Amino acid sequence: LPVVALISGGGSNLQALIDAQLAGLPIRLAAVISNRADAFGLERARRHGIATAVLDHRDYPDRDAYDADLQRLIDGYDPGLVVLAGFMRILTPAFVAHYRGRLLNIHPSLLPKFRGLHTHQRALEAGETEHGASVHFVTAELDGGPVILQARVPVLPGDDAATLAARVLEQEHVIYPTVAGWFAEGRLRLGEDGRPWLDGTP
Ligand code: GRF
């Protein structure tokens, strides 16, 4: 299944998907697109011969213009699935609607808790004893789409945002390839009722 990944930074989730593809997951990363030219994830893609592109949002007058160009660029690769992997831009409703049911995101919290940024610090400040990550279909609501799979980790005494983030990230690298694989195998889709549909049990 041709997949396009959108990134903004280090791309460790992208790397997990690349590694999963090399291990036989039925996905084919067709392109990696970043809104930042300095995203290390672009280097990860280049090392594996995956096409890369940079679409700098500062070159655009507004979000609609940016998303329209981003959509054209993505569709040039005709992906069956688009994954946001550390992509730090809010997408327009038109863009999200165009990819309904084939646009995924990973968010470092147990949604619906802690939507938005700085989730690990906020979880610590809230005194959570458990935290984690969520893979969800992307809808117009920021970090609000239907959750497909979550991973839970304990918050340990002495944790700070960095140690907690590292523990969560490790789990992100497990659940994202798992969900991408389900989708590629045709086992997962977004139902008309807006809920994820997964045939059989994983
Ligand atoms: C991770 O916390 C991920 O949950 C969020 O972006 C952060 C960096 O991801 N989406 P990556 O290492 O760039 O994949």
Side-chain angles (χ1 to χ4, degrees):
L1 177 79
V3 177
V4 169
L6 305 187
I7 65 166
S8 299
S12 72
N13 277 287
L14 168 67
Q15 189 63 56
L17 291 167
I18 290 171
D19 295 346
Q21 174 182 328
L22 291 173
L25 200 71
I27 61 171
R28 179 179 61 80
L29 282 155
V32 172
I33 301 170
S34 176
N35 63 311
R36 297 174 51 114
D38 63 350
F40 182 68
L42 292 168
E43 176 56 28
R44 295 180 191 273
R46 290 184 196 112
R47 287 178 187 170
H48 291 275
I50 299 167
T52 61
V54 175
L55 214 59
D56 188 331
H57 53 282
R58 293 170 302 185
D59 298 340
Y60 291 82
D62 56 48
R63 205 175 284 281
D64 288 338
Y66 180 84
D67 281 14
D69 250 13
L70 180 61
Q71 180 177 316
R72 260 191 296 279
L73 183 56
I74 292 169
D75 287 348
Y77 294 100
D78 194 23
L81 176 65
V82 180
V83 295
L84 307 182
F87 187 63
M88 303 311 276
R89 280 189 56 78
I90 295 174
L91 295 161
T92 58
F95 180 98
V96 169
H98 179 74
Y99 293 107
R100 184 189 191 284
R102 56 183 176 127
L103 178 59
L104 299 176
N105 183 46
I106 189 156
H107 180 75
S109 81
L110 293 174
L111 291 173
K113 286 184 176 179
F114 309 118
R115 292 179 182 168
L117 299 174
H118 313 302
T119 64
H120 310 299
Q121 191 55 44
R122 290 159 59 200
L124 288 168
E125 286 163 2
E128 299 289 340
T129 55
E130 205 177 45
H131 188 39
S134 307
V135 179
H136 62 94
F137 281 108
V138 174
T139 61
E141 194 182 3
L142 179 66
D143 301 331
V147 172
I148 299 161
L149 183 61
Q150 295 185 312
R152 294 171 181 278
V153 300
V155 177
L156 299 176
D159 262 338
D160 60 14
T163 57
L164 184 53
R167 193 172 308 124
V168 170
L169 201 57
E170 195 177 352
Q171 292 304 314
E172 293 180 32
H173 300 160
V174 173
I175 60 176
Y176 220 172
T178 297
V179 173
W182 288 345
F183 192 90
E185 291 160 354
R187 299 179 52 197
L188 166 67
R189 60 180 171 78
L190 181 56
E192 290 316 307
D193 60 355
R195 296 218 310 271
W197 185 90
L198 179 63
D199 72 329
T201 50

